[in-house]
Amino acid sequence: MKRKLSSITIILAIALLTVACGAERNMKKGEKYLAIGEYYDAADEFKQAYSKTPPKEREKRGQRAAKMAMCYERINSHQKAIAAYRNVIRYKQDNPETHLSLARLLLKNGSYKEAAREFQSVLDTMPDNELAKNGLKSALTAQKLKEKGSRYTVKKMDLFNSRRADYSPMLFGEEYDKLYFTSTRNDAQGDELSGITGTKNGDIFYSEKDDKGKWSKPISIESGLNTEYDEGACCFSPDLRDMYLTQCVSDPSYPRYATIVKSPRSDAAWGKATKIDITRDTLSSYAHPAISPDGEWLYFTSDMPGGKGGLDIWRIRLTSAGLGGVENLGEPINTEGDEMFPTFRQNGDLYFSSNGHPGMGGLDIFIASTDKNTKRYKLEHPGYPLNSQGDDFGMTFEGPHNRGFFSSNRGDGRGWDHIYSFEKPEIVQTVKGWVYEMEGYELPAAQVYMVGNDGTNLKLSVKGDGSFTQVVNPGTDYILMATCKGFLNHKEEISIKETEESEEHVLQFPLASIRVPVLIDNIFYDFDKYTLKPESTTALDELVKLLQENPNVTIELSAHCDYRGSDAYNKTLSQKRAETVVKYLIEHGIEAERLTPMGYGKEKPKTIRKKLTEKYNWLKEGDVLTEDFIKQLDEEKQEICNQLNRRTEFIVLRTTYGMFDEKGNLKNPPKPKETIESDGGEDGFDIILD
């Protein structure tokens, strides 16, 4: 009997030793995974080590529970993390940081009373801890915020969502009819599961909206953009030519640091992404890119040194020569917690998510608008249901409207993120402008400068169709100047009144070329005379305005006739008509030295430009309406050609009139603070707005 007991004791000892060795192996594996940021795999190893550790080894159980809890927290397994932290406390391996982490998880779980007790216990030993202070405020006020509600309406978008994570939606296109987002669904590239999340690595997917407003089933981008690595959280340049996104490559030996990459768009396809080197720091993460509405700044999230806390929002200037210096946004935006997922509304407001400010739970969405008096950010919490007890982040807006999509893991026990729509009914006034060449097509290379008496000073990008849209403020007067290299400038003024409904104000910016003759449409003379008809004044007043807006320009004002009548008669009549127009311009304040009247009679028949062929498809670009050309046509088309030849035009002669004194020095150097840079004219000049 003694021999049997001795054998059993030996067997048990060997078994316990084997289990102990197995636990240590699990711990080593877990530490290895943890070192390279693979939290899902690390959590599994720590869990196995914990299970193999005898309950009487309380210190080890507590320490291993702490490792497990931290990993579960990183992968959004809230319930498992809460249970693990409670085991840390149970085995008396806790410290104030343990209780702070547990409190923040309880807050994210909507357990506000328990969270308040834990935050208070932290403050009892660490009274100056800002995260605990703001966390306690959140725990005490979150339920009231939820009951108060807001004007936002929120709806889960089942069409976009999968059984895995779907997040960071971003609308794209001039009509906002494409939605890009990140997903770890089974359709993502690659066969392996991520050691970080336990799912596939994220890819960029997209959905398109048809003419009836119905969204298509999401599909992966079929180009070189998606890889076997993690891609996500994308944004677009204002001209829609570049996509900026986060990419995280894998390495079996080293930690994975997120980087920001850029993908160019060509022939409606996104190309292979290339890395953007924001700094020389290779041990920090750079993620969640956002481009400011003016295209001049790249905002991003980083844990690089010099920040306020864990993750901060930073920005770096984008210039034609490359990247500028890096700036931390500082207070009041950044805190000792995490600030992430910056994005912009078209009116310039910055939206971001934070777990460091008082809120409702995990990451809450905040709005940072610029105070026009102090030029500092002021923060707004948009309330429930846009925010919830979970993580709420990744906003995208449908143009100027306060509607679009965002992501949230509210109500998902596994911590998966899903895409939601949102809308806040509000009164929005916008200016929509169209910039195009007189007698020609849209000018996407143009720039529009917008100045308001409320302090607005913006440089607006023009889309591919020559349009731009900008939110404007009621009770404000605006001046808008459209410029483009090789063209004269065009200015419009508009006063925005208070209104009870949303309204779009449409403005036209036809730019006159300085290289080719420009038709002055709707100039009418009495038959066979050079007397201007009254209905000509509208077009002539527009010409006066154009010359006033471009005070350094001189022009040749020319009148033309059709081929009928004698050469001498036509030349005399056209000369007198040109002189009549010049006289009108002089009477309305334009200096005579800037105007040269020329009557060409029938010497210069019209040359057809491409735009005119859309109206008269029997004409081709480059056709010259000579007498021989016209007489080959039928009678109706002959009359149309004769009408086209009977025209009044101008062509720019100089763009430097009155700019220099007798010694060749610039008479009135522009004042930097009052000047709008302009590409108008081949020589270039500045326009000062009064």
Side-chain angles (χ1 to χ4, degrees):
M1 186 67 177
K2 287 182 178 179
R3 287 179 181 174
K4 283 186 177 180
L5 289 173
S6 179
S7 298
I8 292 171
T9 302
I10 292 171
I11 291 170
L12 288 173
I14 292 171
L16 289 173
L17 185 61
T18 302
V19 170
C21 290
E24 292 302 325
R25 281 197 297 270
N26 290 131
M27 287 301 297
K28 286 182 179 179
K29 284 185 179 180
E31 294 289 359
K32 180 181 177 182
Y33 288 133
L34 183 61
I36 59 175
E38 295 190 343
Y39 303 109
Y40 181 87
D41 288 345
D44 183 61
E45 295 294 337
F46 292 141
K47 179 184 177 182
Q48 291 186 54
Y50 177 84
S51 301
K52 294 173 183 177
T53 306
K56 65 180 181 180
E57 296 186 27
R58 299 177 64 83
E59 184 176 340
K60 281 188 177 180
R61 292 269 284 190
Q63 291 170 352
R64 289 169 183 179
K67 294 278 188 180
M68 190 166 43
M70 186 266 287
C71 291
Y72 282 139
E73 186 177 358
R74 291 294 186 96
I75 62 175
N76 275 340
S77 290
H78 309 144
Q79 297 297 341
K80 291 181 179 180
I82 289 171
Y85 276 123
R86 282 175 170 157
N87 280 332
V88 176
I89 297 169
R90 173 187 171 194
Y91 288 112
K92 300 187 185 306
Q93 297 300 307
D94 55 311
N95 56 39
E97 290 298 329
T98 305
H99 291 270
L100 180 60
S101 295
L102 176 58
R104 299 181 80 185
L105 283 166
L106 290 167
L107 187 69
K108 200 170 183 178
N109 198 49
S111 304
Y112 296 131
K113 289 183 179 179
E114 291 180 79
R117 288 195 294 269
E118 292 293 338
F119 281 124
Q120 188 58 60
S121 74
V122 175
L123 290 172
D124 289 342
T125 56
M126 303 170 64
D128 296 326
N129 189 289
E130 288 298 322
L131 291 179
K133 286 181 182 179
N134 287 340
L136 182 59
K137 289 179 185 177
S138 300
L140 297 176
T141 61
Q143 188 59 39
K144 293 179 182 177
L145 278 173
K146 187 172 183 179
E147 292 169 359
K148 180 181 178 182
S150 69
R151 296 179 64 207
Y152 282 94
T153 57
V154 167
K155 180 183 177 183
K156 191 174 181 181
M157 298 298 293
D158 291 331
L159 175 66
F160 301 144
N161 295 316
S162 67
R163 295 183 179 181
R164 295 293 184 266
D166 304 283
Y167 60 96
S168 289
M170 187 58 60
L171 285 163
F172 176 82
E174 294 172 355
E175 301 299 325
Y176 307 99
D177 54 0
K178 291 183 179 64
L179 183 74
Y180 289 81
F181 62 92
T182 307
S183 180
T184 61
R185 63 186 64 195
N186 292 333
D187 295 335
Q189 290 189 21
D191 298 320
E192 296 184 4
L193 299 183
S194 167
I196 299 176
T197 63
T199 66
K200 281 194 169 184
N201 286 327
D203 273 351
I204 304 293
F205 286 72
Y206 74 98
S207 174
E208 294 186 87
K209 186 165 61 175
D210 62 21
D211 294 339
K212 297 180 180 179
K214 183 179 179 181
W215 290 96
S216 65
K217 181 181 178 181
I219 58 174
S220 175
I221 294 179
E222 297 293 335
S223 70
L225 177 67
N226 286 323
T227 69
E228 60 184 306
Y229 303 126
D230 242 329
E231 282 87 26
C234 68
C235 73
F236 304 99
S237 58
D239 60 11
L240 307 180
R241 295 175 182 173
D242 293 305
M243 176 194 293
Y244 294 78
L245 64 153
T246 308
Q247 187 178 75
C248 199
V249 299
S250 61
D251 191 303
S253 305
Y254 297 96
R256 294 202 260 181
Y257 297 105
T259 60
I260 293 174
V261 296
K262 183 170 74 169
S263 168
R265 188 167 183 259
S266 177
D267 297 327
W270 296 104
K272 184 178 179 181
T274 55
K275 182 184 174 184
I276 296 176
D277 291 316
I278 293 176
T279 71
R280 295 181 180 178
D281 179 359
T282 60
L283 299 178
S284 298
S285 292
Y286 306 88
H288 311 160
I291 305 297
S292 59
D294 59 12
E296 294 187 0
W297 293 93
L298 168 63
Y299 286 67
F300 60 95
T301 299
S302 180
D303 58 357
M304 74 173 92
K308 286 281 296 178
L311 292 169
D312 275 13
I313 296 176
W314 303 68
R315 71 176 187 174
I316 188 168
R317 188 179 288 277
L318 300 172
T319 73
S320 57
L323 298 177
V326 173
E327 298 178 11
N328 186 285
L329 294 196
E331 297 179 348
I333 289 176
N334 290 320
T335 68
E336 293 182 9
D338 293 327
E339 281 68 48
M340 312 160 71
F341 297 99
T343 191
F344 283 93
R345 194 173 166 195
Q346 203 174 76
N347 65 358
D349 286 349
L350 171 66
Y351 286 67
F352 67 97
S353 293
S354 171
N355 60 17
H357 292 285
M360 293 188 66
L363 289 171
D364 270 26
I365 293 167
F366 290 85
I367 307 168
S369 56
T370 305
D371 187 287
K372 289 171 182 173
N373 297 317
T374 65
K375 304 300 181 183
R376 288 179 54 82
Y377 284 117
K378 55 181 181 179
L379 296 188
E380 175 191 349
H381 185 280
Y384 179 85
L386 190 65
N387 284 314
S388 69
Q389 67 193 40
D391 291 323
D392 306 293
F393 61 97
M395 304 278 287
T396 185
F397 296 89
E398 186 183 329
H401 307 288
N402 202 348
R403 62 174 181 257
F405 302 96
F406 73 110
S407 38
S408 175
N409 57 24
R410 62 185 70 186
D412 192 297
R414 298 162 300 176
W416 300 132
D417 302 312
H418 302 294
I419 295 174
Y420 291 75
S421 67
F422 74 90
E423 183 170 8
K424 182 182 180 183
E426 64 175 359
I427 299 170
V428 178
Q429 294 204 64
T430 58
V431 166
K432 181 159 190 175
W434 301 87
V435 187
Y436 54 93
E437 179 185 359
M438 289 182 178
E439 290 192 279
Y441 294 94
E442 59 275 358
L443 292 171
Q447 289 284 346
V448 177
Y449 299 88
M450 183 175 186
V451 177
N453 61 2
D454 63 346
T456 298
N457 194 338
L458 299 174
K459 179 181 178 181
L460 308 177
S461 297
V462 175
K463 297 178 182 178
D465 64 351
S467 71
F468 66 89
T469 304
Q470 178 62 38
V471 174
V472 289
N473 299 319
T476 305
D477 298 329
Y478 293 96
I479 297 174
L480 294 95
M481 181 78 79
T483 74
C484 189
K485 188 172 183 179
F487 295 86
L488 300 184
N489 302 292
H490 183 93
K491 182 173 72 175
E492 290 288 339
E493 299 182 23
I494 188 170
S495 295
I496 307 301
K497 309 298 182 185
E498 295 284 350
T499 179
E500 295 182 358
E501 294 183 1
S502 296
E503 187 176 355
E504 183 177 76
H505 307 271
V506 178
L507 298 176
Q508 303 288 336
F509 293 83
L511 302 191
S513 172
I514 65 173
R515 298 188 178 100
V516 298
V518 179
L519 177 69
I520 310 172
D521 212 358
N522 297 319
I523 299 291
F524 305 102
Y525 305 92
D526 289 328
F527 178 70
D528 217 21
K529 295 181 180 178
Y530 51 88
T531 309
L532 285 167
K533 288 189 173 183
E535 54 265 40
S536 302
T537 56
T538 300
L540 290 173
D541 289 342
E542 284 296 316
L543 181 55
V544 170
K545 179 185 172 187
L546 177 67
L547 292 169
Q548 289 172 339
E549 292 168 0
N550 297 272
N552 305 112
V553 166
T554 65
I555 65 169
E556 176 190 279
L557 194 294
S558 61
H560 305 263
C561 299
D562 59 37
Y563 67 84
R564 293 172 295 192
S566 68
D567 291 351
Y569 178 80
N570 281 337
K571 195 165 181 69
T572 300
L573 179 62
S574 62
Q575 180 66 32
K576 290 184 177 296
R577 285 181 171 178
E579 291 170 355
T580 300
V581 173
V582 165
K583 181 181 178 184
Y584 183 95
L585 300 176
I586 294 171
E587 289 173 350
H588 287 76
I590 306 301
E591 300 96 321
E593 293 86 352
R594 299 176 58 196
L595 307 169
T596 302
M598 288 296 296
Y600 287 104
K602 61 180 181 180
E603 291 176 10
K604 292 189 175 183
K606 187 174 181 67
T607 299
I608 300 301
R609 300 185 64 192
K610 185 177 180 180
K611 184 70 174 177
L612 201 56
T613 64
E614 296 178 4
K615 184 176 181 180
Y616 305 112
N617 58 14
W618 43 273
L619 290 173
K620 300 191 300 295
E621 183 180 10
D623 283 345
V624 181
L625 304 185
T626 62
E627 181 176 352
D628 290 341
F629 178 91
I630 294 173
K631 286 183 174 179
Q632 295 177 28
L633 305 173
D634 61 45
E635 187 174 339
E636 182 181 352
K637 292 177 181 177
Q638 285 188 30
E639 181 52 35
I640 291 172
C641 289
N642 285 327
Q643 289 175 4
L644 293 174
N645 272 335
R646 297 192 297 269
R647 67 198 190 277
T648 303
E649 296 176 333
F650 73 84
I651 188 168
V652 174
L653 300 177
R654 291 174 55 203
T655 60
T656 57
Y657 171 81
M659 291 179 65
F660 302 96
D661 60 23
E662 294 177 355
K663 297 180 180 179
N665 298 318
L666 195 62
K667 286 183 178 179
N668 299 302
K671 301 175 183 178
K673 292 184 179 180
E674 300 175 338
T675 301
I676 290 179
E677 295 178 359
S678 167
D679 290 327
E682 290 181 321
D683 298 308
F685 55 91
D686 291 328
I687 302 151
I688 299 176
L689 299 186
D690 297 327

